């Protein structure tokens, strides 16, 4: 099991740093410090490794989200902390790996449906997690379009961070999103 | 001049469809229907061709923006038309080429500063064009963070459209952005 996880982590690291094409079985096993035979044992081949790595991206991002959920404050400052948490989800290595997969998938008929399915599933889970943490009604159409606009914005901020340090600008956008959510959406009755 | 433009257009098409690495001089000249000598004549080498293609991406996107600007209605529906226009800027082949360049640049020390500079310049021009068309005050900090959040959202929608048809969801987000801009921002005094 440790070997399997080492391979998945290494696959994500390599994807993020080197891109889809340079992330060969040789490169990943070297990074993981395991034999090429381990890939064969756990995943049969390169396609099997990446199918598992795609799920691993999704699982790791959701685990990160759940880990953060328990540390958000209640009352004043809660919305800002949640907005920051969801924007942070779209930064760093995990988002880098996802972006590499998306770009590679757009031109690859085998990879594309896998990555599209992962993104759709992740999109739904992230949306419902955001709405629940913010105490909003997921069936309200204004909530739906606002939180989707926010999550698209978080993705766009992730893309912008890819080319350079964007922290100061991002901070202003994050604060504005907290205001927009607090001032334009009603809390859900059930809270 | 026609040959030069053919090469730049072909470079963008190939970048969008094939990605950075597969967009070789041979592939681009074949697509453009010109000789390899033309690249040498106009751009010296591959690096020169892509430096020019990067500027061409920026110029083409800004020209598209200016072309749309004259067709936006006045009064009711204007904000929605402008929001749609700016979201459309982030869809299709031109955004695909930009995305490929961004992803390739993140791992390439020569390409990275060129693409980062193009993105920064484009970001500023798109921001000021949006604020001006919407009749807002570019020095108001609420305007700045809201319109930046909107443009990040447009980028995120572009990324989402890369993997599949996202039109229905996008329409809802576009309408919500028009509402958010109309209801939370004050028109600029000078209008």
């Amino acid at each position: 099991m440790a070997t399997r996880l080492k391979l998945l982590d290494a696959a994500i690291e390599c994807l993020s740093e080197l891109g889809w094409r340079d992330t060969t079985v040789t490169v990943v096993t070297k990074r993981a410090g395991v034999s090429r035979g381990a890939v064969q044992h756990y995943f049969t081949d390169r396609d099997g490794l990446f199918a598992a790595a795609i799920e691993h991206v999704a699982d790791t991002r959701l685990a990160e989200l759940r880990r953060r959920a328990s540390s958000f404050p209640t009352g004043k400052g809660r919305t800002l902390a949640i907005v920051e948490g969801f924007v942070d989800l779209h930064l760093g290595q995990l988002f880098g790996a996802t972006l590499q997969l998306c770009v590679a998938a757009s031109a690859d008929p085998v990879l594309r449906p896998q990555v599209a399915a992962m993104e759709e599933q992740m999109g739904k889970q992230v949306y419902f997690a955001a709405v629940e943490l913010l105490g909003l009604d997921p069936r309200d159409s204004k909530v739906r379009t606002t939180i989707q606009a926010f999550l698209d914005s978080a993705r766009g901020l992730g893309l912008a961070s890819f080319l350079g340090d964007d922290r100061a600008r991002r901070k202003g956008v994050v604060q504005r999103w907290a205001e927009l959510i607090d001032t334009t959406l009603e809390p859900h009755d059930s809270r």
Side-chain angles (χ1 to χ4, degrees), chain A residues 4-16 23 27-33 56:
Chain A
R4 189 177 181 273
L5 272 182
K6 268 187 207 164
L7 277 167
L8 295 174
D9 283 339
I12 298 303
E13 278 175 34
C14 293
L15 256 182
S16 169
T23 304
V27 165
V28 174
T29 51
K30 206 173 161 185
R31 172 82 59 120
H56 184 61

Side-chain angles (χ1 to χ4, degrees), chain A residues 20-37:
Chain A
W20 166 249
R21 189 145 20 154
D22 284 341
T23 304
T24 60
V25 167
T26 305
V27 165
V28 174
T29 51
K30 206 173 161 185
R31 172 82 59 120
V34 305
S35 73
R36 283 181 61 94

Side-chain angles (χ1 to χ4, degrees), chain A residues 21 25 27 50 78 93 97 114 118 122 134 172 174 183 187:
Chain A
R21 189 145 20 154
V25 167
V27 165
F50 285 107
R78 179 172 173 82
Q93 205 169 56
Q114 290 178 45
M118 173 192 85
M122 272 300 292
L134 290 164
V174 162
T183 58

